[in-house]
Amino acid sequence: MTIGTRPRARRAPARATARTNVSGAASAALRPVLDSPRKPARVLAAFPAGLYLEVRTELEPHVIAVLTGEATRLPNAVVLAGELPRVTVGDEAVVGDGAIEVGRISLRARRWWNPAPPLGSADPARLAQAAPAMAQICRASSRRPGLEHNGAAEMLADGCVTGSLVGMITAAEHLVGLGPGLTPSGDDVLAGLMVALRHLGHASGAPRAVWLADWLAAAVTFDARTRTTPISATLLHCAARGEASLEVLAVLRGIAGRQALEPALARLLTLGHTSGADLACGLRIGLDAVLGLTAERAA
């Protein structure tokens, strides 16, 4: 056998995967993460209408939702102007320097929205009218909260209505991470409550409601990453700052009389298996607490 002496031709170096530049609309909550230096990330979950990226960072939101226009616009989301990239759970990504690189796309935000727009002032009498209306709509709905008749949820409501910080925090400790799914029911109730206390407290001139929201936020977010799912932990951090999905914000506007309440609440109740009903439960607890605190202040 003859051995050739001609040197073997060198292979051309592998070409980097070509990326398609796309744009989207992003929540302003993502600015700290997107504007920071590049960090590795991974695909945490992927669905037809969106995918979730977990970024290796201490900043929040550390989970970013990349969504199509049909998905629920979460407070930690970037909404694509095109189709989602084809990815699977565990795929690598990069986030930072103003961009998200995942699959074959490089995504940059060209427009921004505020996930915590202020309600402005709201008449406590208008809020009082919204409370029984919400109760009636929720009773008539086939969508039930995942923690209905749960002792911790009832303790949370009692602590908020009476303004008991100890009772509220104790109940919250039991609720973090309670329930199955990407966003456990206990977390959704707490998220709805924190958003309601903060926005309705500011709108109705009830500073103690905002004070309760601050304490609840500190307790819930302190170790959320170790007690619940990554997606839910990020959403709790968002809710602690008053940031919420468009469906939740629409219900708050309905409570304050800025738009029709019934269709907004009906839309919220359809979200997920129990997420919408759990969020509505938290909003109702927060509304009742704000009403109690404004009445106490007026007395």
Side-chain angles (χ1 to χ4, degrees), residues 15-285:
R15 297 177 63 184
T17 302
R19 296 188 185 276
T20 302
N21 294 320
V22 298
S23 63
S27 165
L30 294 175
R31 279 191 182 274
V33 179
L34 291 180
D35 291 344
S36 67
R38 289 161 57 92
K39 294 284 195 305
R42 69 184 181 99
V43 177
L44 193 62
F47 304 96
L51 58 94
Y52 293 90
L53 301 176
E54 184 176 27
V55 188
R56 196 177 302 169
T57 178
E58 294 301 315
L59 297 173
E60 286 291 348
H62 83 289
V63 172
I64 297 175
V66 180
L67 307 175
T68 65
E70 291 76 29
T72 298
R73 188 174 292 193
L74 298 171
N76 60 328
V78 180
V79 180
L80 277 174
E83 295 182 354
L84 286 171
R86 294 184 179 181
V87 295
T88 58
V89 173
D91 282 357
E92 295 180 354
V94 177
V95 174
D97 287 349
I100 297 171
E101 295 179 358
V102 56
R104 293 182 178 271
I105 70 168
S106 179
L107 169 62
R108 288 185 178 271
R110 301 302 182 193
R111 293 181 292 114
W112 300 86
W113 83 86
N114 183 1
L119 281 176
S121 61
D123 185 353
R126 179 64 186 83
L127 303 189
Q129 294 174 2
M134 288 187 71
Q136 182 178 356
I137 295 167
C138 289
R139 279 196 302 269
S141 174
S142 61
R143 298 298 187 98
R144 313 309 303 171
L147 299 181
E148 193 170 31
H149 307 306
N150 179 275
E154 294 173 1
M155 184 190 302
L156 180 69
D158 290 342
C160 289
V161 170
T162 60
S164 169
L165 184 60
V166 173
M168 184 182 69
I169 297 302
T170 301
E173 288 290 330
H174 289 290
L175 287 171
V176 175
L178 184 61
L182 293 176
T183 58
S185 290
D187 296 347
D188 286 330
V189 171
L190 290 168
L193 171 58
M194 289 189 289
V195 169
L197 286 174
R198 189 168 301 284
H199 283 278
L200 298 178
H202 278 302
S204 63
R208 186 167 173 80
V210 181
W211 179 80
L212 288 175
D214 288 338
W215 274 99
L216 185 61
V220 166
T221 60
F222 174 68
D223 57 353
R225 288 196 190 187
T226 64
R227 298 191 58 195
T228 189
T229 67
I231 294 171
S232 197
T234 273
L235 291 176
L236 285 174
H237 277 274
C238 289
R241 297 188 294 264
E243 299 161 357
S245 68
L246 295 188
E247 289 79 5
V248 170
L249 295 174
V251 172
L252 288 174
R253 288 194 297 273
I255 292 171
R258 304 285 190 273
Q259 67 178 74
L261 174 59
E262 183 174 356
L265 182 53
R267 167 61 182 153
L268 175 63
L269 290 168
T270 65
L271 300 185
H273 294 292
T274 66
S275 284
D278 291 322
L279 286 163
C281 177
L283 290 172
R284 290 178 59 195
I285 294 173

